Amino acid sequence: MRTTVSVLALAGLLWAGAASAAEAPADLVFWGGPIHTADDAHPTAQAVAVRGGRIAYVGDRKGAQAFVGAKTRVVDLKGAALFPGFTDAHAHLYGIGQRELTLNLEGIQSAAALAQAVKAHADKTPGTGPVLGRGWIETHWPEKRFPTRQDLDAVVADRPVVLVRADGHAMVANSAALKLAGVDRNTKAPSGGDILKDANGEPTGMLIDAAMSLMSALAQQPTPEEMRRTFQAGFKVYSEYGWTGLHNMSVPWDQALMLEDFAKAGELPLRVYNAVTPEAGKMLLAGGPRDAADSRVVTRTIKFYADGALGSRGAALFEKYHDADTTGLVQMKAEDVVPVYEEALRKGIQVATHAIGDRGNSLVLDWYAQAFAEVPTAERKVAEPRWRVEHAQILTPADIARFPALHVIPSMQPSHAIGDLHFAPSRLGEERLAGAYAWKSLIAAGAIVPAGSDAPVERGDPRIEFYAAVARKDLSGFSAPDWHPEQAVDRETALKMFTLWPAYASFAEKDLGSIVVGKRADFSVFDVDLMTVPEAAIPKAKALMTVVDGKTAFRAPGW
């Protein structure tokens, strides 16, 4: 694309800080540390000025001085680094809050330790109500197996226990929970799910993907006040991590409305972009995209599930798992979902579909292509729909090129690659690893790859995600020889993956994602420069400040 002289001149004018300093002083000025803009024309700056919630100046410190008035708040970074607001392009905000308030099983090192954690929690919360928890991963346990109902029965037999695997695609239940849900040796798994059974045909307690719905009878509908507390816990931890926003996945309608209420009341410190459940999608299709509190909460996407997860062997593969006699689970059928996709195209609703396995991804691309063919551009409410595939973890080489060819966005989570490296080779075998977590190949093919965390599946820390994107190693610095280190990206690309590209994936690149005059003033400040510190130092950085619409959302104590 040819850039005209006038456009270049305008860019230079804005960069020089001529954005009308004489109109009024800035509300806020930053200087005193490295500033990275995610703007290719001017990737770094010495100072930024903010007026009315938008960026009024980006340039050198001398130019910024003209924006300082008697009431201007000047923030001396004192060597800390300022970035465009980091945005988690795939997370579950309510689940993040739940993790803070319920039995958190992250880091459990064995089935025995899992049982002891359940016992300790049950002892602290006596009664007959269910014991609910989440976060376990068995791939590194000495027992080399999934947990079972017998593990749980040994410590809690008189009340239901249900523990969700970290990926959210499997759960283990004790005998009391199975009995209450009516699950026994004769229960048939629903389509897209599996009930694991032992050699005698009895349920082991493990329910995979759609089979987890059999436990819905145990789900206690939270009160509005409980929902509020859960969201507030999520707000707090995400602001403190350094995020200024997130793309909130699989959101029920009542949660989307509650988030709008938070925003309207000025109680939402993050920018939230909602992708609702298929059930809530019916309301979205009927009423159209929603924008609350000057885009603090935007709801315009429906999230679907094509398959399950790799760790619980629910991801749909073309060939059998390398370590099990299964090809995974397909959650949808073309005849059911493609008509909904077509309606979404006609009504300007974005579609995001979860796909992890190579077959799951290929099916989604097929279904998207079918919908695009059935609804030509002239019949679409939005000519450029920016549909997404969430995860895009395991791809065949041929499908990598299909993403940019179809203008489909692969929304990926770097930390999955550092967690999964300890079990993905055994699940997939060496050959399929070539298309696993292939951010660099997708970007080289022309795809835009927004990055997220999938929290609470992962911790949800931007430092870990940034490190995973550029290092492709676990937090100890380990990476397997067959883990394709060439898929790591450079830091400039990683910065876009967490700033400019999530903005693009949410139709907001004119307002968000880079530090450019006229855009909204969303910033993340870390105590070290993520672009220059040694690789191993990235996860040790501290978030010092987040700014959303020019207002401080979080500031570290003592800074």
Side-chain angles (χ1 to χ4, degrees), residues 32 211 313 473 535:
R313 299 188 185 90
K473 302 171 184 174
E535 197 175 79

Side-chain angles (χ1 to χ4, degrees), residues 94 97-98 101 220-235 254-255 258 261-262 267:
Y94 195 78
Q98 283 182 314
L101 301 177
Q220 297 176 321
Q221 186 64 29
T223 67
E225 183 53 36
E226 288 171 337
M227 286 178 61
R228 285 183 60 84
R229 286 200 303 270
T230 302
F231 272 129
Q232 287 167 339
F235 300 162
D254 59 342
Q255 291 185 15
M258 179 169 281
D261 290 341
F262 273 114
E267 298 174 358

Side-chain angles (χ1 to χ4, degrees), residues 144-176:
K144 303 295 183 184
R145 61 171 173 81
F146 286 130
T148 67
R149 61 186 172 88
Q150 289 87 352
D151 293 324
L152 305 182
D153 292 347
V155 291
V156 179
D158 59 347
R159 58 196 285 198
V161 178
V162 179
L163 310 176
V164 179
R165 194 176 187 274
D167 59 16
H169 287 266
M171 60 173 54
V172 62
N174 71 348
S175 295

